[in-house]
Amino acid sequence: MKLKLVLTALFIAIYIFSFYSQAKYKDEKINIILDEQIKDLEVHYSVTMDYFIQDVKGMRHNLLNNKKVISLFSQAQNATKDERKVLRDKLYRLLTPMYKRINSRGIFQFQFVFPNNITFLRMHKPDKYGDDLTNIRYSFAHTNKTKETVIGFEQGKTTHAFRYTYPVYDKKGNHLGALETSLGSNTVQEKLSNVNKIHSHFLVNKKVFETNIWEGEDLKQNYIQSIEHKDYMFTLTKGYSDNKLKNMKNNIIKHLEDKIDQKISTKNPFSVYHILEDTAKIITFLPIKNTQEKEISAYIVSYTTDKNIYTTHDDFVKYNIIRFFGLFLIFYFIYKNLNRKNELEIEVAKQTKELKELNENLEQKIIIEVEKNKHIQEQLFKSEKLASMGDMIGNIAHQWRQPLSVISTGATGMKMQKEYNVLTDELFIQTCDAINDNAQYLSKTIDDFRNFIKGDRNKTIFSLKNNIDGFLHLVEGPIKSHNINIILNLQEDIKIDGYENELTQCLINIFNNAKEELIKKDTNVSFDSTNKKNYNNEDRLIFITTKKIDKKVIISIKDNAGGIPEDILPKIFEPYFTTKHKSQGTGLGLHMTYNLIVDGMNGTIEATNVNYEHANKEYIGAEFSISLPV
């Protein structure tokens, strides 16, 4: 009886430990996927808004330099009611062709307001004018008072929008009022759906409807109660379907109401999911703040599906069932064998045979578990690469902003110059060349990123210099945004017979560790005559050197971030070892790098702390040295 109790307690303890270990791994893997959904929506939203802002900036430049527009608005300042009507009609006819073009791109509001916040002309409603927006539109009141540009989400008299409001002056510098350009939330939704293939809709906080702007019930006809949260209204669009909303509420939302309510109270972006049939439905919430109080007034909500979450859940259930019955059988056999110790000598031989069979079964189970652990490690490596891909997407968004701005401004400028017959052949050719050059840059960025995520494990002979150039292009975003100086000393014509994509992954892992340390510390360390350290933030350096010695290629990557603490240095290649918070790293980056170099390419990698001199300054940093066979 005592033996049975001991074995039962041991069985329960081992099963509970394995259950919670597997559950922790499952949750970490799912959280990585959910975080990627948030990053994906943030990037697409940011690119969409950057497109709008660059478009509006081009319009603002053309309008403020249009003498006829400024002249008509200036004449209207002190004109009579009848005179203003004539001037308003002239300005409306002058701007109608341009308004039709920008309206086709989703910009639906375009209006002029005097310094006292009285409307002069609404291009979208030319028959509505003369009303005071002081207590209704914060952006106009603030711009006319401070002469500052206001950009952001704001509620108007009839609808909400993303607005760009800026002051207007005449040629003598006299303040004439403010001009606003607005992008509707439905346009943002359409771009996310049509361009980025993301299904989304817009939620507006009910507090918006409590103001005196919404005294007319007819203004609320474009909104219904949100299915996601009781405090928000759903914005109706042309793609609205009552049956579709009911199905989503009954099949998905009702299972997530408590989670959504809890997450919304944090006022941060978040994703939740629900398993439905053979996939997972992911709902991502991206908060939108208003321009006045900077409080959350709305959410962009996206709906996506993910097979990996369903597979993770399904594997978790299967593995735990198998583990339960496997452990049960093992402990049952152990119990049976131990319980028969005192039987007759004739049974000893039989017990020996059964124990031998049990050992063979255990050996087979160990082999299975080893393979299973290997699979889990491979999945974690893939998760690490997913995190790298998330950084790459952020890099691409950063790298694309300037080329997109040049393309948008060039195209808008040519249209306006063509309209006013000032477009010369020379300017046309120059602008087209600039657009083509920037388009080629965008194409190169996509090719490099596609080659990285393709991840084909084919052994090829490749140029080490070209590989490093491609790696630097992938991390160009953080290099520029964090002012990191890359100093190259590359030997020409070095060829490697190996796995090009895996080497790129290793370089990215080492670069990311160096980048984090450079950001975290004062990285320029110099020494004076008394051998005392002086720190400043002027230099963030990473040196990359390649050379061929005999039948080996040496790749050296060193920084000036101050080196790795001596107690940590021997552990950096161990799995799951990290000095970061668990939400910032898995501890697998350098471990994966070690395995790819040593096991994958028959090379070696080591890390040391080095003192060195560059440009008459002395530095301390970490150096990673990779040795590969030619």
Side-chain angles (χ1 to χ4, degrees), residues 67 74 78 82 117 131 151 159 171 182 280 326 335 370 426-427 440 590 630:
K67 295 180 180 180
S74 177
N78 300 311
D82 292 337
N117 305 316
D131 49 324
I151 305 173
T159 186
K171 62 182 178 180
S182 300
Y335 169 74
V370 168
E426 181 181 1
L427 185 58
Q440 293 298 326
L590 291 179
V630 177

Side-chain angles (χ1 to χ4, degrees), residues 178-196:
L179 202 161
E180 176 208 70
T181 306
S182 300
L183 181 73
S185 62
N186 60 324
T187 302
V188 175
Q189 289 174 232
E190 288 176 2
K191 285 189 177 295
L192 289 174
S193 298
N194 299 333
V195 179
N196 302 315

Side-chain angles (χ1 to χ4, degrees), residues 244 359 431:
K244 188 174 182 180
N359 288 333
T431 305

Side-chain angles (χ1 to χ4, degrees), residues 76-336:
Q77 299 293 310
N78 300 311
T80 65
K81 182 178 180 180
D82 292 337
E83 289 172 340
R84 282 186 175 180
K85 185 180 185 311
V86 174
L87 293 169
R88 183 182 300 107
D89 291 341
K90 288 182 178 180
L91 183 57
Y92 177 75
R93 288 193 301 271
L94 177 64
L95 295 177
T96 293
M98 183 187 72
Y99 178 68
K100 288 181 178 179
R101 289 195 301 273
I102 63 174
N103 186 252
S104 67
R105 299 202 297 268
I107 297 175
F108 73 99
Q109 287 191 4
F110 184 39
Q111 58 183 318
F112 293 77
V113 174
F114 290 121
N116 59 358
N117 305 316
I118 301 297
T119 59
F120 173 59
L121 172 62
R122 289 182 172 93
M123 289 298 296
H124 58 290
K125 290 184 179 179
D127 57 335
K128 300 291 185 181
Y129 54 84
D131 49 324
D132 189 350
L133 300 178
T134 302
N135 297 321
I136 297 174
R137 290 291 305 282
Y138 163 80
S139 57
F140 280 128
H142 184 79
T143 297
N144 279 327
K145 181 179 179 180
T146 65
K147 314 302 183 294
E148 296 175 348
T149 297
V150 176
I151 305 173
F153 178 83
E154 186 180 17
Q155 182 61 48
K157 272 195 167 186
T158 60
T159 186
H160 56 268
F162 296 90
R163 306 184 189 276
Y164 190 103
T165 308
Y166 52 91
V168 180
Y169 301 89
D170 63 15
K171 62 182 178 180
K172 295 181 180 180
N174 298 316
H175 179 230
L176 303 179
L179 202 161
E180 176 208 70
T181 306
S182 300
L183 181 73
S185 62
N186 60 324
T187 302
V188 175
Q189 289 174 232
E190 288 176 2
K191 285 189 177 295
L192 289 174
S193 298
N194 299 333
V195 179
N196 302 315
K197 307 305 179 185
I198 296 176
H199 168 69
S200 65
H201 58 250
F202 216 80
L203 305 184
V204 181
N205 196 307
K206 285 184 177 179
K207 292 181 180 180
V208 170
F209 301 93
E210 296 172 359
T211 65
N212 59 0
I213 301 173
W214 292 89
E215 292 176 356
E217 289 298 321
D218 58 321
L219 299 180
K220 298 183 182 179
Q221 292 178 359
N222 291 328
Y223 301 86
I224 61 173
Q225 172 63 50
S226 162
I227 63 173
E228 289 88 0
H229 197 272
K230 62 182 182 303
D231 294 338
Y232 287 83
M233 301 291 282
F234 172 82
T235 305
L236 297 178
T237 62
K238 61 183 180 181
Y240 159 73
S241 169
D242 187 57
N243 289 333
K244 188 174 182 180
L245 287 181
K246 287 181 180 178
N247 288 334
M248 287 193 297
K249 181 174 182 179
N250 293 332
N251 295 326
I252 304 173
I253 299 300
K254 73 176 183 180
H255 303 285
L256 300 172
E257 288 177 344
D258 292 339
K259 281 187 179 180
I260 293 175
D261 188 61
Q262 179 185 0
K263 295 284 187 179
I264 278 185
S265 64
T266 67
K267 300 183 179 180
N268 293 318
F270 65 91
S271 287
V272 292
Y273 72 94
H274 175 65
I275 301 297
L276 187 63
E277 296 177 353
D278 61 345
T279 189
K281 299 293 183 180
I282 301 177
I283 311 176
T284 304
F285 291 74
L286 185 63
I288 305 297
K289 295 181 179 180
N290 63 23
T291 56
Q292 185 172 2
E293 296 90 3
K294 300 299 182 183
E295 293 183 351
I296 295 174
S297 295
Y299 278 92
I300 292 179
V301 182
S302 71
Y303 283 75
T304 55
T305 59
D306 188 274
K307 190 75 174 178
N308 291 329
I309 291 181
Y310 169 79
T311 302
T312 301
H313 267 278
D314 189 54
D315 290 346
F316 174 71
V317 174
K318 290 178 181 177
Y319 290 158
N320 276 290
I321 292 173
I322 294 172
R323 188 179 291 108
F324 177 86
F325 285 104
L327 286 172
F328 178 82
L329 290 174
I330 292 172
F331 277 88
Y332 173 76
F333 284 126
I334 293 174
Y335 169 74
K336 293 288 289 182

